[in-house]
Amino acid sequence: SGPLVVKGTVTATYRADGTFLFRYDLEGLEAGCVGCGIHIHAGTSCDTHEQVKGHGWNADVVDDLWTKAGGAVYESDEWGNAMGEFNMYNGFSFGKNLGHAVVVHGQSGMRLSCGVLQGFV
């Protein structure tokens, strides 16, 4: 009981064709969350709802694939842990996704957690 404290890591490993492998290893989620969303958003800050903005994708190149149909979901176990991966293409390169908000949603679609995608050189 009490508020959720979501912790973990998210990585995006890019390929030459612009697609990427989106991996997550999270804890502190709602238990038994099925088909719950996890997305890179258009915003570059998690400070306010307005700064997070909506899903991040290049509408000139691709439809929004940060959806259940696009495979951008996770399932948590009975303890609120989730680990997995999916392939993604949002029309942006690594550099254009870097520094953007990554949001983890709950079963109702509510934002449970937010962090900013950081890169390593």
Side-chain angles (χ1 to χ4, degrees), residues 16-103:
D17 66 358
T19 64
F20 56 94
L21 183 64
F22 191 91
R23 286 189 176 124
Y24 54 89
D25 186 358
L26 305 168
E27 61 183 59
L29 301 161
E30 294 174 330
C33 202
V34 176
C36 296
I38 183 168
H39 320 102
I40 296 175
H41 278 237
T44 56
S45 174
C46 295
D47 291 342
T48 68
H49 178 80
E50 292 76 23
Q51 290 175 312
V52 173
K53 301 184 180 179
H55 297 169
W57 84 97
N58 184 342
D60 293 332
V61 178
V62 66
D63 290 332
D64 181 7
L65 297 176
W66 293 113
T67 62
K68 287 182 183 182
V73 295
Y74 71 91
E75 294 187 9
S76 63
D77 63 21
E78 61 189 290
W79 299 283
N81 301 313
M83 184 176 7
E85 61 188 34
F86 53 85
N87 290 299
M88 179 55 62
Y89 177 70
N90 68 353
F92 290 129
S93 66
F94 170 73
K96 295 285 185 177
N97 280 301
L98 188 63
H100 282 261
V102 175
V103 177

